[in-house]
Amino acid sequence: MTTRLNIVPFVSVDHMMKLVLAIGIERFLTDLAAYIEEDFRRWELFDKTPRVASHSIDGVIELMPTSDGRLYGFKYVNGHPKNTRDGRQTVTAFGVLADVGNGYPMLLSEMTILTALRTAATSAVAAKYLAPKGADCMAIIGNGAQSEFQAVAFKALLGINRLRLYDIDPAATRKCAKNLEGLGFDITPCASAHAAVEGAHIITTVTADKQYATILTDNMVGSGVHINAVGGDCPGKTELHRDILLRSQIFVEYTPQTRIEGEIQQLDPDHPVVELWAVMTGKTPVRGDSRTVTLFDSVGFATEDFSALRYVRDQLADTGLYEELDLLADPDEPRDLFGMLLRAAKHH
Amino acid sequence: MTTRLNIVPFVSVDHMMKLVLAIGIERFLTDLAAYIEEDFRRWELFDKTPRVASHSIDGVIELMPTSDGRLYGFKYVNGHPKNTRDGRQTVTAFGVLADVGNGYPMLLSEMTILTALRTAATSAVAAKYLAPKGADCMAIIGNGAQSEFQAVAFKALLGINRLRLYDIDPAATRKCAKNLEGLGFDITPCASAHAAVEGAHIITTVTADKQYATILTDNMVGSGVHINAVGGDCPGKTELHRDILLRSQIFVEYTPQTRIEGEIQQLDPDHPVVELWAVMTGKTPVRGDSRTVTLFDSVGFATEDFSALRYVRDQLADTGLYEELDLLADPDEPRDLFGMLLRAAKHH
């Protein structure tokens, strides 16, 4: 790694893909999950603020900062549902990790791909604590951009090897099944959400519907099932019928944010929920009995992005998969910024 | 300019210096000042939020976002006074401009140099409205990194050509005077702040003191003078004696922020102040008579960074002074991020 003070390592989209492939998707997700879990376990250390959102008619741009007192990270992320019309991504993201001690950025990274990975890794970490023992079959309802990442993360962390796929668009299911070919799954494409959940120990909902939707109704959810609800993640966007929530033990990342963005926006603001960190540290027990339905109401939190940036940063020295960005002014004499400009003129 | 959706133009420190020198520092400041003024004049359009600050023992890291409904900008900036000990800058910054319509970043730019320029340009724009007519002599108390930028901006916008320099460190004054050599100033180094303000129509205070300091006392400020107070810009850091504030007409950028960070943190929270935009749009008159002391209590606001990013963005096509950053994932099919990864493997 460089010691030149003006340089910040930059991980481009191309380098991120190379990094994931060099490490291997399964191992990347496993190792990333360990970083995410480590940071959840030291939850109380983190400076937690709600996202800073700038809303417009077409979408939202958000900044998600957090810090553990030693490192600082933030993610820039947009959400623009209409983007796919002109070939753009609905969500793009990038992030920065910085040194709290001197305020200097240490890493700039693409985070569109990295967010997909950390979302899947977080779901799998949560399921490690919440899913029924011996679970090996997962239904995935919604077979879009996040679906394969979920599948691979659950295989890597929980040994899930049977998938039941459903999407309102059969082409999405075909795409998902094709992408997962040869990765060790027994895949069943299903004709309905009802069919998909049959025999599944874990139900992952990850649809892109932008409104209140009812992907799962109460009668579809058997006892002892773990629901991994990933798709409902902003105000006005939910996937589960309220009755399911009322009979589930509900787990969230950061309660104040999930009350606004998660499935629980359908419930009273004081409905009991458990934060993941409390489960991971053993503070709160899970599953009174084997018939309990557990629900991870995932919306994505800043610490997960922080963990992901921290993980990527730690891979740079060994892999060399980054560029050097001349991002920081570094005059020989800190008080002489103007002189630095003048001297640059002489080199012209 | 590129139309490839994955690419974001990046202005490095090196490119920023080349850009400033290609345009010329005076013209850069003049043109930038016009962008800043234009944005102040449409103040009410802007989404204004306080900075999002993460404080630590050694300093602060801040995000400063704003939007005019069409463009979105934010600046990352740190403040770490102890940094100069190991050769780092106290303040470094970078920023991003994005399209509100699709959330895609349009520009990533260094902002350490750009912030120095926008701070000086903002001071000069304010003085254009607030300084006494015919002013041609300015005292600069504090001859550090910002001092030369202030001098050149005031020359470019107001025709200031006589400078009276003072710093507690005579080496800083020598550095400042040397850097400004040949730029058309008549420069007088002074042995005290008292000496520096003699005959000056404008007094710029831009010291780096980190605590409550009294750079100017009441008896030093004659009638009709304009004070450009740049150095006091965070809680606990001020430069002017309270008595000066009490007999001045005070102008601020964004009142809620300046109450916390500016000189007026010494005053009652309801002490009357005037926002710059109200002066520029003619909403509030200035200078009841020629003896009024006017004070611009500068702390720096997000719209100024937004204007600066907008200005830089508009120079890229003509100058070509940027790199192309592969920052955004751009799969052929937006729902197929995983497939993009798989296809990258095949190219390995």
Side-chain angles (χ1 to χ4, degrees):
Chain A
M1 305 287 295
T2 180
T3 53
R4 280 170 296 147
L5 294 177
N6 62 314
I7 295 296
V8 176
F10 165 57
V11 177
S12 67
V13 171
D14 188 53
H15 273 137
M16 184 61 75
M17 293 198 290
K18 290 197 168 99
L19 186 64
V20 175
L21 294 168
I23 293 173
I25 301 182
E26 277 207 35
R27 206 193 113 202
F28 191 107
L29 284 163
T30 307
D31 293 352
L32 172 55
Y35 275 64
I36 290 170
E37 185 170 349
E38 184 186 345
D39 286 337
F40 268 114
R41 283 173 171 277
R42 47 196 201 104
W43 180 256
E44 284 161 293
L45 270 178
F46 280 87
D47 186 3
K48 293 171 286 287
T49 43
R51 322 170 181 237
V52 183
S54 178
H55 293 276
S56 62
I57 300 167
D58 293 321
V60 63
I61 296 176
E62 298 175 332
L63 299 174
M64 299 169 68
T66 193
S67 169
D68 68 358
R70 204 174 57 80
L71 296 172
Y72 168 93
F74 81 86
K75 179 165 84 171
Y76 169 106
V77 58
N78 75 294
H80 286 72
K82 283 189 282 188
N83 269 7
T84 48
R85 282 193 212 162
D86 53 355
R88 286 187 169 81
Q89 293 279 104
T90 299
V91 174
T92 61
F94 66 90
V96 168
L97 195 70
D99 183 330
V100 168
N102 58 36
Y104 270 45
M106 303 161 66
L107 170 68
L108 169 71
S109 177
E110 87 79 35
M111 289 193 78
T112 310
I113 296 167
L114 192 56
T115 297
L117 291 156
R118 74 83 162 131
T119 299
T122 302
S123 280
V125 169
K128 221 178 60 173
Y129 289 89
L130 305 178
K133 298 283 160 263
D136 69 348
C137 179
M138 177 160 82
I140 304 183
I141 300 175
N143 301 152
Q146 172 63 203
S147 59
E148 300 96 334
F149 294 97
Q150 289 282 335
V152 177
F154 276 73
K155 177 159 182 294
L157 269 82
L158 285 92
I160 297 295
N161 53 26
R162 292 193 293 139
L163 297 177
R164 302 181 65 79
L165 306 182
Y166 172 70
D167 196 289
I168 44 167
D169 178 2
T173 302
R174 281 194 297 274
K175 180 251 347 171
C176 179
K178 187 160 186 308
N179 279 336
L180 294 175
E181 238 170 50
L183 296 180
F185 292 102
D186 170 5
I187 297 176
T188 308
C190 301
S192 69
H194 267 93
V197 300
E198 258 173 52
H201 309 114
I202 299 173
I203 303 172
T204 289
T205 58
V206 59
T207 64
D209 237 304
K210 293 302 153 204
Q211 292 140 54
Y212 292 113
T214 307
I215 310 303
L216 287 185
T217 52
D218 195 32
N219 63 324
M220 292 164 71
V221 179
S223 70
V225 158
H226 174 60
I227 304 172
N228 172 40
V230 180
D233 62 354
C234 63
K237 181 162 177 270
T238 59
E239 294 183 313
L240 308 185
H241 193 283
R242 190 169 178 273
D243 288 348
I244 300 174
L245 308 184
L246 292 174
R247 69 181 175 99
S248 301
Q249 190 180 7
I250 300 173
F251 300 85
V252 302
E253 289 141 315
Y254 178 54
T255 311
Q257 185 177 306
T258 310
R259 294 265 185 224
I260 296 165
E261 301 172 3
E263 296 297 328
I264 58 170
Q265 63 188 282
Q266 302 180 66
L267 302 182
D268 293 336
D270 59 353
H271 188 91
V273 298
V274 179
E275 290 188 332
L276 274 189
W277 69 272
V279 176
M280 295 184 189
T281 57
K283 191 168 172 277
T284 308
V286 184
R287 281 191 176 272
D289 64 64
S290 63
R291 297 187 317 169
T292 307
V293 172
T294 53
L295 165 63
F296 174 39
D297 188 0
S298 161
V299 297
F301 186 57
T303 59
E304 296 152 28
D305 300 310
F306 176 94
S307 310
L309 289 167
R310 203 161 67 73
Y311 173 67
V312 167
R313 166 83 189 171
D314 286 352
Q315 311 314 311
L316 299 189
D318 286 350
T319 64
L321 292 170
Y322 63 96
E323 294 161 52
E324 299 193 333
L325 225 55
D326 169 31
L327 186 61
L328 306 176
D330 182 34
D332 303 329
E333 150 65 87
R335 287 185 307 187
D336 200 10
L337 208 53
F338 195 86
M340 185 174 76
L341 255 179
L342 294 181
R343 283 186 290 278
K346 285 184 192 145
H347 297 300
H348 249 33
Chain B
M1 305 290 293
T2 179
T3 53
R4 280 170 296 147
L5 294 177
N6 62 314
I7 294 297
V8 176
F10 166 56
V11 177
S12 66
V13 172
D14 188 54
H15 273 137
M16 183 62 76
M17 293 199 290
K18 290 197 168 99
L19 186 65
V20 175
L21 294 167
I23 293 173
I25 302 183
E26 278 206 36
R27 206 194 111 202
F28 191 107
L29 284 163
T30 307
D31 293 351
L32 172 55
Y35 274 65
I36 290 170
E37 185 169 347
E38 185 186 344
D39 286 338
F40 268 115
R41 283 173 170 276
R42 47 195 201 105
W43 180 256
E44 284 161 294
L45 270 179
F46 280 87
D47 187 3
K48 292 173 284 289
T49 42
R51 319 169 184 242
V52 183
S54 178
H55 293 276
S56 62
I57 299 166
D58 294 321
V60 63
I61 296 176
E62 297 175 332
L63 298 174
M64 299 168 69
T66 192
S67 168
D68 67 357
R70 204 174 58 80
L71 296 172
Y72 168 94
F74 81 87
K75 180 166 81 170
Y76 170 106
V77 58
N78 75 297
H80 286 71
K82 284 189 282 189
N83 268 8
T84 49
R85 283 193 212 160
D86 54 354
R88 285 188 169 81
Q89 293 280 105
T90 299
V91 174
T92 61
F94 66 89
V96 168
L97 195 68
D99 184 331
V100 167
N102 58 37
Y104 270 45
M106 303 161 65
L107 170 68
L108 170 70
S109 178
E110 86 81 35
M111 288 192 79
T112 311
I113 296 168
L114 191 58
T115 297
L117 290 157
R118 75 85 160 130
T119 301
T122 302
S123 281
V125 169
K128 220 177 63 172
Y129 289 90
L130 305 178
K133 296 283 160 267
D136 70 349
C137 180
M138 178 160 81
I140 305 182
I141 300 174
N143 303 152
Q146 172 64 202
S147 59
E148 300 98 333
F149 294 97
Q150 289 281 336
V152 177
F154 275 74
K155 178 160 181 294
L157 268 82
L158 285 92
I160 297 295
N161 52 27
R162 293 193 293 140
L163 297 177
R164 302 181 65 79
L165 306 182
Y166 171 71
D167 195 289
I168 45 168
D169 177 4
T173 302
R174 282 195 297 274
K175 179 248 357 171
C176 179
K178 186 160 184 308
N179 279 336
L180 294 174
E181 240 171 47
L183 296 181
F185 292 102
D186 170 5
I187 297 175
T188 309
C190 301
S192 68
H194 268 94
V197 301
E198 259 174 51
H201 309 113
I202 299 171
I203 303 172
T204 290
T205 58
V206 58
T207 63
D209 237 305
K210 292 300 150 205
Q211 293 140 52
Y212 293 111
T214 308
I215 310 304
L216 287 185
T217 52
D218 194 33
N219 64 324
M220 291 163 70
V221 178
S223 69
V225 158
H226 173 61
I227 304 172
N228 172 40
V230 179
D233 62 356
C234 63
K237 180 160 178 271
T238 60
E239 293 183 315
L240 309 184
H241 193 282
R242 190 169 178 273
D243 288 348
I244 300 174
L245 308 184
L246 292 175
R247 69 183 176 96
S248 299
Q249 190 179 7
I250 300 173
F251 300 85
V252 301
E253 290 141 313
Y254 178 55
T255 311
Q257 184 177 306
T258 310
R259 295 265 185 225
I260 296 166
E261 302 172 3
E263 295 297 328
I264 58 171
Q265 63 188 281
Q266 302 180 66
L267 302 182
D268 293 335
D270 59 351
H271 188 92
V273 298
V274 179
E275 289 188 332
L276 274 188
W277 69 271
V279 175
M280 294 183 189
T281 56
K283 189 168 173 278
T284 308
V286 184
R287 283 191 175 272
D289 64 62
S290 62
R291 298 186 316 169
T292 308
V293 172
T294 52
L295 165 63
F296 173 40
D297 188 359
S298 161
V299 297
F301 186 58
T303 59
E304 296 152 28
D305 300 311
F306 176 93
S307 309
L309 288 167
R310 203 162 65 75
Y311 173 68
V312 168
R313 165 83 189 173
D314 286 351
Q315 311 313 310
L316 299 189
D318 285 350
T319 63
L321 292 169
Y322 64 95
E323 294 160 51
E324 299 193 335
L325 225 56
D326 169 31
L327 186 61
L328 305 176
D330 182 33
D332 302 330
E333 151 64 85
R335 286 184 307 187
D336 200 11
L337 208 54
F338 195 86
M340 185 175 75
L341 257 179
L342 294 181
R343 282 185 291 278
K346 288 188 190 140
H347 296 302
H348 249 31

